[in-house]
Amino acid sequence: MKLFTIIFSIVSLGIIGFNLAQVNFNAPFQGDSVTALTVALIGLCALLLVWILFVSKQIQKKIHYKK
């Protein structure tokens, strides 16, 4: 599970970085820039979900260790 979260985080950061590089900052809400911003936002959501999964697994380990 730890390997999955690391790989998924790296892929998500790569998607965010690639799509932010595709944004035309002179006109960020026109053409392909909208798509790039949308996909970068989706990548941030995926990264947040992976972070929540990681924290919940750490909490689960601490609770299981105390029992």
Side-chain angles (χ1 to χ4, degrees):
M1 184 58 104
K2 187 175 181 179
L3 181 64
F4 169 76
T5 57
I6 291 171
I7 291 172
F8 203 79
S9 296
I10 292 170
V11 169
S12 180
L13 287 171
I15 288 172
I16 293 167
F18 175 77
N19 283 298
L20 287 179
Q22 300 298 318
V23 175
N24 179 8
F25 290 105
N26 293 328
F29 298 112
Q30 295 178 352
D32 290 337
S33 293
V34 175
T35 305
L37 286 173
T38 304
V39 175
L41 182 63
I42 292 169
L44 283 171
C45 290
L47 190 61
L48 179 66
L49 288 172
V50 170
W51 182 73
I52 290 171
L53 177 67
F54 179 72
V55 170
S56 69
K57 289 295 181 181
Q58 284 184 335
I59 292 170
Q60 185 180 16
K61 284 180 186 176
K62 288 182 180 180
I63 290 173
H64 183 69
Y65 181 71
K66 287 183 178 182
K67 286 184 177 181

